Amino acid sequence: IPITSASYFATMTLDQVRHVFRSDTEVPIPLIEERHRVLNESGTVLLEKFGGSFLTCVKMSGKSAQKLLRLVLENFPSYRDEAVFERKKVSFYKRAQILVADTWSVLDGKGDGFFDDISSLTIFADYRIPQVLVHLKAMKYSEELMKKLREGMMFQSGDREEVEIRGCTIWCCALICKHLLELYEKKGQDMCEKINAVLLDYHLWDYAQSHREEMKDTPFHRVRCIYY
């Protein structure tokens, strides 16, 4: 982000954010106050710590996806996507990981966008990917959970069911990647650079977009928070 953009984000008013995210319908975009706060926060952090440019963060990562991820988490509070499950802290970091992955993707994995540990990222656990996995029968919900989803229950970020859905999504996709790599290994092909959670996420998201009609009977979990 150029310095001028960072300055703009840091000083945007709530009314300006409402105008930018204005709806085509009578329904306003949700969490507008939170969106405003996060934009101001991100712009301010970029200006104060990184000279107004996210590229500075990327260069500081030393071509490591994990180091860039830590830089984002340490400096931008809104990316700290964490919860407590059975008295243990669990971390999803959906937005932080997709920020790193999209940087890698946009820069074609070259130059500043080359990360030698890009495969260390997990799937980006949101609401759409688990829906696809259930639709494809890679995951299965209990009857009790499915009933709640079909009734449109609104979960809170950190609710047990929400954490379980996201956690199982990550584990399921890790198993898919592992199985694919094993299949290619049996054929004598090394596909480590072509099969990872980032590319699997992109594929599943595109699948969801192009198969909306087929998936309409598979419910997704509903939650309003800043982490997806």
Side-chain angles (χ1 to χ4, degrees), residues 54 57-74 79 92-105 107 109-122 124 196-198 202:
F54 181 66
C57 297
V58 178
K59 291 180 179 295
M60 288 173 63
S61 72
K63 302 189 183 305
S64 168
Q66 286 298 319
K67 187 172 181 180
L68 180 55
L69 182 64
R70 289 195 296 273
L71 278 169
V72 171
L73 296 172
E74 288 168 1
Y79 284 87
F92 296 104
Y93 302 146
K94 186 266 182 181
R95 287 176 52 233
Q97 290 198 104
I98 203 169
L99 174 59
V100 176
D102 284 351
T103 300
W104 171 74
S105 181
L107 297 177
K110 300 175 183 177
D112 292 324
F114 172 77
F115 301 125
D116 55 15
D117 57 348
I118 192 67
S119 293
S120 67
L121 299 183
T122 71
F124 316 133
N196 57 48
V198 173
Y202 291 164

Side-chain angles (χ1 to χ4, degrees), residues 8 103 121 143 171 180 209-210 214:
Y8 183 62
T103 300
L121 299 183
E143 292 183 8
W171 182 237
L180 287 171
Q209 295 298 98
S210 59
E214 296 172 35

Side-chain angles (χ1 to χ4, degrees), residues 1-12 35-54 75-79:
I1 300 174
I3 292 178
T4 51
S5 296
S7 301
Y8 183 62
F9 291 153
T11 58
M12 282 185 78
R35 295 174 193 272
H36 173 235
R37 181 187 65 77
V38 169
L39 278 171
N40 284 174
E41 174 190 277
S42 298
T44 299
V45 171
L46 283 174
L47 286 170
E48 293 180 350
K49 297 187 177 183
F50 302 104
S53 175
F54 181 66
N75 292 282
F76 299 87
S78 67
Y79 284 87

Side-chain angles (χ1 to χ4, degrees), residues 136-151:
L136 295 175
K137 295 182 172 53
M139 286 198 331
K140 183 179 180 180
Y141 292 149
S142 68
E143 292 183 8
E144 180 184 359
L145 177 56
M146 187 64 84
K147 183 175 183 294
K148 291 180 180 180
L149 297 178
R150 291 195 186 285
E151 291 173 349

